[in-house]
Amino acid sequence: MIAKKLLLVSVLFLSAIARGETFNLVTENFPPFNMGEEDHKYEHKADAISGINVDIVKELFKRSGYDYRLKLRNWNYAYNFAQRKEFRGVFGTTLTDARKPLFKWVGPLAKNDWVFFARNDTTIKINSVEDAKPYLIGCYKDDSRAQFLKNNGFNASELEDDSLNPKRLQQRQVDLWISSTASGYYYAKLAGVSDIKPIFTIRDTSLYLAMNKDTPDEHIEHLNKVLDKMRTEGYLDKVYSNYK
């Protein structure tokens, strides 16, 4: 009975604090994780922003009972905006050793792996990332994956529009395409391409909500507990499947 009363007091305390604060959240245009529904680079209304991470974050704040604002801006703005004041956050942010002390972390929201896609009829065998060096690899210009290829001596073929790479792969203009599983299938579906597949995972990373480090710990803990429950219920998997 005492434990139940303490839990009720804790919930009421959190709710009371949360009612006085609005979380200011920013994300970037990075389909299918975060994107403007009108394909705009910037959006100032939450209803005009969607994607895997966005759908999860909206449900997370709905269940948590916290007020929030959500905007879509470029990455540099979003990343710096979140570091300047408490109750600000940026997602989906890759958790790295360098970034870890700069924020308080809620997540993971989704996986953002690095994979090589090939045609379904490929005879290419990739057992290590070095095995891809003889091949022409389609990539998104100036993306971290493109930079990885160029910095490590791979044969990179860059485009400023990554959505064109599934067709290039299908039409044998490139041998491989580097993307993520989620982005790859999303862009392939948009392009009407169904005969490609991921054949090798280079690395696994996860995307988080990175909150300003001055945001009170009790809110971070509460958000993570609610997110864990959503994950256990299968909600995150359901959202992910909506974008395949």
Side-chain angles (χ1 to χ4, degrees), residues 7-19 218-219:
L7 178 61
L8 178 60
V9 170
S10 177
V11 170
L12 291 173
F13 175 70
L14 281 171
S15 298
I17 294 177
R19 278 197 297 270
E218 58 262 32
H219 298 309

Side-chain angles (χ1 to χ4, degrees), residues 132-147:
K133 283 194 168 177
Y135 302 104
L136 182 62
I137 305 170
C139 55
Y140 179 32
K141 184 176 176 62
D142 295 331
D143 177 66
S144 58
R145 288 175 284 250
Q147 292 171 354

Side-chain angles (χ1 to χ4, degrees), residues 20-221:
E21 297 291 347
T22 297
F23 288 72
N24 289 287
L25 309 178
V26 189
T27 189
E28 65 169 334
N29 193 52
F30 181 45
F33 296 103
N34 334 291
M35 53 195 172
E37 294 190 352
E38 300 296 327
D39 203 28
H40 296 161
K41 291 183 178 179
Y42 306 109
E43 288 288 357
H44 298 276
K45 295 181 179 179
D47 289 346
I49 308 170
S50 63
I52 295 171
N53 288 331
V54 176
D55 293 356
I56 292 169
V57 166
K58 285 180 177 179
E59 181 68 15
L60 171 61
F61 276 79
K62 178 182 175 181
R63 294 192 187 197
S64 297
Y66 293 165
D67 291 330
Y68 71 96
R69 299 187 187 98
L70 173 60
K71 295 183 179 181
L72 183 75
R73 302 294 293 271
N74 68 52
W75 175 251
N76 286 336
Y77 174 91
Y79 188 75
N80 290 307
F81 172 85
Q83 294 183 67
R84 290 197 294 266
K85 190 176 180 181
E86 64 182 4
F87 290 98
R88 291 184 177 183
V90 55
F91 68 94
T93 310
T94 302
L95 175 57
T96 65
D97 290 339
R99 290 174 176 174
K100 189 173 183 179
L102 302 179
F103 298 95
K104 292 179 180 178
W105 299 86
V106 178
L109 304 173
K111 289 184 178 180
N112 183 33
D113 52 6
W114 292 16
V115 300
F116 287 131
F117 275 83
R119 294 179 299 275
N120 283 349
D121 63 355
T122 188
T123 59
I124 296 174
K125 301 292 183 183
I126 305 292
N127 296 311
S128 73
V129 67
E130 293 294 312
D131 292 341
K133 283 194 168 177
Y135 302 104
L136 182 62
I137 305 170
C139 55
Y140 179 32
K141 184 176 176 62
D142 295 331
D143 177 66
S144 58
R145 288 175 284 250
Q147 292 171 354
F148 166 80
L149 294 178
K150 292 187 292 183
N151 292 341
N152 290 280
F154 290 84
N155 193 7
S157 177
E158 295 181 282
L159 282 184
E160 293 187 355
D161 186 350
D162 201 29
S163 67
L164 300 177
N165 275 313
K167 280 287 188 184
R168 296 175 77 207
L169 181 59
Q170 183 189 52
Q171 296 172 2
R172 303 179 188 274
Q173 296 172 13
V174 294
D175 302 305
L176 299 168
W177 169 36
I178 190 170
S179 186
S180 72
T181 303
S183 296
Y185 278 125
Y186 176 80
Y187 282 130
K189 184 177 180 179
L190 286 182
V193 173
S194 59
D195 55 345
I196 63 173
K197 62 183 180 181
I199 63 167
F200 184 79
T201 300
I202 303 162
R203 65 177 62 166
D204 286 310
T205 60
S206 295
L207 302 175
Y208 287 74
L209 166 61
M211 291 298 306
N212 182 278
K213 63 182 181 180
D214 293 326
T215 305
D217 286 342
E218 58 262 32
H219 298 309
I220 305 301
E221 293 168 4

